[in-house]
């Protein structure tokens, strides 16, 4: 039966009248036939719901859900973003801004073609560039069918000791050649290779989780555990170097509930030590983490792992349930969170934002995370390597750990060494070891045909020092008088065959690309710095002024330290560039 046409007021506007929300004198608002904004396609909503299954729709899981869609469909189509926003009861702009922030998410707007099914990312950070990554990138672009395979540059992937590195999908191919990469693509080797590691049973057989058990059953008390860490002098090994025991004590003193977050987002070019530990002895890391949660009475642990380490993620996905089933985590819950390609999330507060499902924008401090951290709660943040040492310190005593220092320093350290050495890799050495000792004793000397010319003691952020300063102890506080710092101990060795000017440009392009864009000094400053040092002659006065502004006004360490390589070059490598005044500028 046909419904009668709707009754209209004699004063209602005609269909061809100009559009007005309210007709003059009518006092009534014109109603819409549909909601404002993008409409959700029912089929897309069904697809998103099927992927999410019974997973919670909490906002903090937004990035995890975006990964589900990206992994399944190979991209994030606009229709799926709209459906996800509706399903999670979020504004579409909120979903879109998060998805567009992270490099590993591919957004496809309406009418745009989806990316090829296979993506090859070639690392162009310093260690890989020294090993010929630029040539590899161009050769791969020329050697693939662009409709089937996409080749693109990417920042550091944590394989610096086996450079050059290419990632096919999420499978890391180290010491890559055109032939090896194309062969892997042709044979479908797109999944990450899982290395041999000490599993739960073997770790348990070797005394694993005994120290944690003593904490849980009352044999050890909180005060003695924290005091041991304080006496050992262990410091945060992610870069900041804050005394670990003091941090645990400070967070425990805050009113609960308290949380714990593990920073496994080591994106500093030249850094791969956390990957080393996770790939070989993951339970030693997990036991230290669980002891930390017990010490501060954290209700939950959030492990934030960079997306470039899918093999480490798979290991943790396998092993964490074994811990829980064995009853070693009755005091806390473990959550594994996956990054999405953003170096800035290595900054602790940006990491917290990302765990909360947001863009990784650093927070203003104070308040510090130990007071107002994850989800507004007091949060203990530790690096992977820091908690890796906890079991060892408690078993063998604080004096054992402290006794291993060199040159007046205390403790042990894993140095990530790459570049022009014969045997690069993770090197376990006393804190305070010098670059010269690292190269000669732990790396088998310089690579054939290369002579030491310079080195980065702490990745790009730590600046560049000349070979004449190779006897400075590498530790917290020893490099600062020279305008440098140890950071995460990402040591990149340069030789007389390397162009310091090109090295500096590579480092600044990294910072320019990875700036989150939140603050103007860093966003504009890194871009301006790249422009200035790309010129035939350098304007030293302008570069110095730019460095002061960025150092004083940037929100986080990225902008504050980005100019360190330029400062060091202008101080120690005067022959590497032409000052503007000498060029007649």
């Amino acid at each position: 039966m046909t419904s009668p046409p709707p009754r209209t007021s004699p004063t209602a506007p005609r269909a061809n009248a100009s559009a007005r929300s309210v007709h003059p004198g009518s006092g009534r608002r014109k109603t819409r036939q549909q909601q404002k904004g993008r409409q959700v396609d029912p089929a897309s909503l069904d697809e998103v719901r099927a992927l999410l299954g019974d997973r919670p729709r909490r906002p903090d899981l937004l990035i995890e859900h975006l990964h589900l869609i990206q992994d399944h469909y190979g991209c994030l189509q606009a229709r799926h973003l709209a459906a996800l926003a509706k399903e999670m009861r979020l504004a579409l702009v909120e979903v879109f801004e998060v998805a567009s922030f992270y490099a590993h998410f591919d957004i496809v707007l309406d009418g745009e073609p989806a990316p090829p099914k296979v993506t090859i990312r070639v690392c162009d950070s310093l260690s890989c560039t020294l090993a010929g990554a630029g040539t590899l990138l161009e050769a791969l672009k020329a050697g693939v069918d662009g409709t089937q395979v996409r080749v693109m540059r990417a920042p550091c992937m944590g394989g610096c000791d086996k450079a050059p590195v290419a990632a096919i999908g999420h499978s890391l191919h180290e010491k890559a050649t055109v032939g090896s990469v194309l062969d892997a693509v042709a044979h479908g080797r797109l999944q990450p290779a899982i290395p041999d590691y000490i599993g739960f049973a073997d770790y348990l057989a070797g005394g694993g989780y005994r120290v944690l058990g003593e904490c849980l059953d009352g044999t050890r008390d909180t005060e003695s555990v924290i005091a041991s860490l304080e006496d050992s002098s262990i410091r945060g090994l992610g870069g900041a170097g804050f005394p670990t025991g003091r941090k645990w004590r400070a967070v425990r003193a805050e009113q609960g509930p308290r949380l714990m977050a593990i920073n496994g987002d080591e994106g500093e070019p030249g850094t791969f030590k956390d990957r080393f530990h996770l790939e070989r002895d993951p339970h030693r890391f997990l036991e230290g983490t669980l002891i930390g949660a017990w010490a501060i009475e954290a209700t939950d642990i959030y492990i934030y792992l960079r997306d470039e380490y899918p093999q480490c993620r798979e290991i943790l996905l396998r092993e964490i349930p074994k811990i829980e089933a064995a009853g070693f985590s009755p005091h806390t819950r473990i959550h594994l969170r996956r990054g999405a390609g953003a170096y800035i999330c290595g900054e602790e507060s940006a990491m917290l934002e990302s765990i909360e499902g947001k863009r990784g924008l650093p927070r203003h401090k104070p308040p510090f995370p130990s007071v107002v951290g994850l989800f507004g709660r007091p949060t203990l943040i530790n690096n992977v390597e820091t908690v890796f040492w906890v079991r060892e310190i408690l078993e063998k005593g604080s004096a054992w750990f402290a006794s291993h220092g060199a040159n007046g320093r205390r403790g042990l350290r894993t140095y990530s060494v790459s570049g022009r050495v014969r045997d690069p890799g993770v090197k376990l050495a006393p804190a305070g070891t010098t670059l010269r000792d690292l190269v000669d004793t732990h790396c088998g000397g310089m690579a054939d045909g290369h002579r030491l010319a310079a080195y980065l003691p702490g990745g790009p952020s730590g600046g560049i020092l000349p070979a004449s300063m190779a006897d400075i102890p590498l530790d917290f506080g020893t490099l600062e008088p020279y305008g440098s710092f140890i950071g995460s101990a990402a040591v990149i060795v340069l030789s007389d065959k390397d162009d310091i000017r090109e090295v500096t440009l590579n480092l600044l392009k990294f910072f320019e690309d990875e700036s989150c864009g939140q603050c103007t000094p860093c966003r504009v400053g890194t871009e301006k710095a790249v422009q200035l040092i790309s010129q035939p002659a350098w304007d030293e006065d302008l570069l110095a002024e730019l460095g002061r502004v960025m150092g004083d006004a940037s929100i986080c360490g990225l902008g504050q330290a980005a100019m360190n390589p330029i400062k060091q070059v202008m101080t120690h490598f005067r022959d590497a560039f032409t000052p503007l005044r000498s060029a007649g500028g």
Side-chain angles (χ1 to χ4, degrees):
M1 181 175 177
T2 304
S3 301
R7 297 179 61 182
T8 58
S9 165
T11 58
R14 296 191 307 271
N16 62 349
S18 60
R20 287 175 292 185
S21 61
V22 179
H23 185 272
S26 69
R28 292 183 297 168
R29 183 171 296 276
K30 184 178 179 180
T31 58
R32 292 182 176 273
Q33 298 301 314
Q34 62 183 23
Q35 295 179 344
K36 295 173 67 175
R38 184 187 181 96
Q39 301 307 297
V40 177
D41 171 27
S44 300
L45 185 59
D46 289 341
E47 290 169 348
V48 167
R49 285 173 173 169
L51 277 177
L52 266 57
D54 60 356
R55 294 176 175 85
R57 271 55 168 174
R58 300 193 315 268
D60 63 288
L61 293 173
L62 173 57
I63 295 172
E64 296 294 310
H65 296 343
L66 288 170
H67 274 302
L68 287 173
I69 299 172
Q70 172 86 29
D71 290 347
H72 186 80
Y73 291 100
C75 62
L76 298 175
Q77 298 185 44
R79 62 187 183 90
H80 285 140
L81 292 178
L84 182 63
K86 180 176 178 63
E87 184 67 9
M88 297 187 70
R89 297 185 178 183
L90 297 172
L92 178 56
V93 67
E94 187 174 353
V95 174
F96 190 88
E97 72 175 6
V98 171
S100 61
F101 181 84
Y102 296 93
H104 289 186
F105 291 140
D106 292 310
I107 298 177
V108 177
L109 301 178
D110 294 336
E112 292 182 345
K117 292 184 178 180
V118 177
T119 295
I120 301 173
R121 292 182 172 88
V122 178
C123 174
D124 68 354
S125 291
L126 183 55
S127 297
C128 284
T129 295
L130 296 177
T135 302
L136 175 64
L137 176 63
E138 295 307 315
L140 285 172
K141 286 182 177 179
V144 302
D145 178 354
T147 63
Q148 301 296 319
V149 179
R150 176 177 56 167
V151 179
M152 56 196 301
R153 49 78 51 194
C156 186
M157 301 174 188
C160 319
D161 57 330
K162 299 178 181 66
V165 175
I168 307 173
H170 281 295
S171 178
L172 204 64
H173 287 252
E174 298 170 313
K175 296 185 177 179
T177 64
V178 175
S180 68
V181 173
L182 295 183
D183 182 70
V185 171
H187 291 86
R189 295 196 295 272
L190 308 181
Q191 298 303 314
I194 309 302
D196 292 333
Y197 62 91
I198 300 173
F200 178 72
D202 289 338
Y203 183 75
L204 207 60
Y209 293 109
R210 180 179 60 81
V211 175
L212 173 63
E214 292 172 351
C215 294
L216 296 176
D217 68 16
T219 302
R220 294 178 183 264
D221 62 85
T222 306
E223 176 57 34
S224 66
V225 167
I226 294 178
S228 292
L229 296 182
E230 290 173 329
D231 294 341
S232 73
S233 298
I234 186 171
R235 301 173 69 168
L237 299 176
F242 193 85
T244 301
R246 193 194 309 174
K247 180 185 285 189
W248 285 27
R249 188 179 297 280
V251 176
R252 182 177 171 81
E254 296 292 328
Q255 184 174 355
R258 293 175 286 273
L259 301 174
M260 185 175 187
I262 296 295
N263 192 337
D265 195 71
E266 56 173 3
E268 186 83 9
T271 310
F272 45 93
K273 62 184 180 61
D274 292 347
R275 172 191 170 188
F276 177 88
H277 293 308
L278 291 173
E279 285 185 343
R280 289 161 176 76
D281 201 352
H283 285 281
R284 192 173 296 269
F285 150 72
L286 289 168
E287 182 171 10
T289 300
L290 288 167
I291 291 172
W294 165 82
I296 69 158
E297 297 179 353
T299 60
D300 294 85
I301 299 167
Y302 290 82
I303 301 173
Y304 188 84
L305 187 64
R306 67 183 310 212
D307 200 30
E308 290 84 352
Y309 290 171
Q311 72 282 8
C312 298
R313 181 171 179 270
E314 179 59 31
I315 290 171
L316 293 177
L317 286 173
R318 292 178 182 180
E319 300 303 314
I320 289 174
K322 298 175 184 177
I323 297 171
E324 296 169 337
F328 287 120
S329 58
H331 55 300
T332 190
R333 294 179 294 270
I334 305 173
H335 309 268
L336 182 59
R337 292 296 174 86
R338 179 179 171 187
Y343 164 74
I344 192 63
C345 290
E347 195 278 334
E348 61 177 11
S349 65
M351 176 191 68
L352 299 183
E353 291 287 298
S354 191
I355 293 174
E356 292 180 3
K358 297 178 286 190
R359 293 175 294 167
L361 301 179
R363 299 174 180 176
H364 289 276
K365 302 173 186 176
F368 292 95
S370 59
V371 180
V372 180
L374 192 58
F375 306 116
R377 299 178 180 180
T379 304
L380 172 63
I381 301 176
N382 278 144
N383 171 256
V384 169
E385 185 190 358
T386 305
V387 292
F388 182 88
W389 286 112
V390 168
R391 171 194 163 184
E392 205 90 355
I393 291 171
L394 296 180
E395 274 187 337
K396 298 180 179 180
S398 56
W400 166 84
F401 185 81
S403 68
H404 283 84
N407 298 307
R409 315 307 295 178
R410 304 181 73 189
L412 284 165
R413 191 95 197 243
T414 47
Y415 297 87
S416 306
V417 187
S418 61
R420 307 299 194 181
V421 294
R422 183 173 284 113
D423 181 25
V426 170
K427 308 299 178 180
L428 177 62
T433 295
T434 66
L435 184 280
R436 197 178 308 281
D437 186 52
L438 266 181
V439 172
D440 294 343
T441 305
H442 298 274
C443 299
M446 295 292 292
D448 292 339
H450 291 269
R451 179 172 56 83
L452 178 65
Y455 68 103
L456 284 68
S461 301
I464 309 172
L465 296 177
S468 60
M469 302 175 75
D471 294 312
I472 301 172
L474 299 177
D475 197 19
F476 299 112
T478 59
L479 295 160
E480 282 76 359
Y482 308 97
S484 185
F485 55 82
I486 186 66
S488 59
V491 180
I492 304 177
V493 181
L494 305 174
S495 79
D496 55 336
K497 301 291 195 300
D498 298 317
D499 184 332
I500 294 296
R501 183 187 175 106
E502 289 300 316
V503 166
T504 308
L505 184 58
N506 178 282
L507 303 180
L508 266 294
K509 283 183 175 179
F510 171 80
F511 288 128
E512 178 190 24
D513 189 56
E514 293 296 327
S515 172
C516 75
Q518 178 179 197
C519 67
T520 303
C522 179
R523 181 184 67 250
V524 178
T526 51
E527 180 182 1
K528 183 66 173 178
V530 168
Q531 293 173 357
L532 289 172
I533 65 174
S534 298
Q535 301 301 313
W538 287 11
D539 188 332
E540 292 185 275
D541 292 339
L542 185 55
L543 284 167
E545 181 181 359
L546 181 61
R548 286 193 295 272
V549 171
M550 292 176 64
D552 292 342
S554 295
I555 291 175
C556 79
L558 192 158
Q560 293 164 10
M563 292 293 285
N564 281 346
I566 296 176
K567 294 177 184 178
Q568 297 283 355
V569 169
M570 291 194 300
T571 301
H572 302 297
F573 303 93
R574 303 292 305 177
D575 294 339
F577 68 97
T578 303
L580 185 60
R581 60 180 178 274
S582 298

